[in-house]
Amino acid sequence: MRLVLTCRLGGPEHSLATTVTLRRALKASLARVEVDGLDEVDVHLTLGGAVTSAEGHGGVHHLRYSATRRRLTVNVVVPASEVARSTPAGALAPYLDTMSRRIAERCAPGDADAVTRALAGACREALDTVPGSG
């Protein structure tokens, strides 16, 4: 499946290089996952920071699936307080797990557990390659 990932960084403390590395790793990992009826996942990621904290808005929002276009769009928001307690990749991990579960439930309800494991595993694999994620 193809991933389109756009990022909004909530402050200057976020490294653009880390975001680029994350995008490349997620694209490579998710490219190996196949979900019947889904060709593209468009993720808008917001990492809260000093300028825009995103407090109170954290989570996986506005998941929309188009069966005719075989495309899913979703917003993932990680509040600054969670990023501050970890690394951006570490704070993002539980949100990607939630996103994986919700995608599976929406696009593959008959095989949601297996699809969730495949998507979440690919996301975790990608996060492991991001510097400072451990």
Side-chain angles (χ1 to χ4, degrees):
M1 118 180 45
R2 191 168 86 86
L3 173 72
V4 176
L5 179 67
T6 55
C7 297
R8 178 175 176 220
L9 304 178
E13 67 275 17
H14 293 297
S15 166
L16 188 57
T18 299
T19 306
V20 171
T21 302
L22 175 64
R23 176 184 290 127
R24 288 179 181 159
L26 282 169
K27 280 185 170 194
S29 290
L30 289 174
R32 296 188 295 267
V33 177
E34 291 186 25
V35 178
D36 286 339
L38 183 61
D39 294 334
E40 181 177 281
V41 175
D42 187 350
V43 178
H44 180 78
L45 171 63
T46 300
L47 293 174
V51 177
T52 305
S53 68
E55 296 301 321
H57 300 287
V60 178
H61 308 289
H62 307 296
L63 187 135
R64 290 183 172 77
Y65 172 59
S66 170
T68 56
R69 294 177 64 200
R70 299 173 59 94
R71 182 172 187 249
L72 182 134
T73 60
V74 63
N75 295 340
V76 177
V77 180
V78 183
S81 61
E82 293 183 31
V83 175
R85 286 192 300 262
S86 181
T87 62
L92 182 57
Y95 291 95
L96 292 180
D97 288 344
T98 300
M99 181 188 78
S100 298
R101 181 182 44 78
R102 292 199 44 209
I103 289 171
E105 289 170 351
R106 182 64 187 246
C107 299
D111 199 19
D113 290 339
V115 172
T116 298
R117 282 192 301 276
L119 289 170
C123 290
R124 291 289 176 146
E125 176 186 308
L127 291 176
D128 288 345
T129 67
V130 177
S133 64

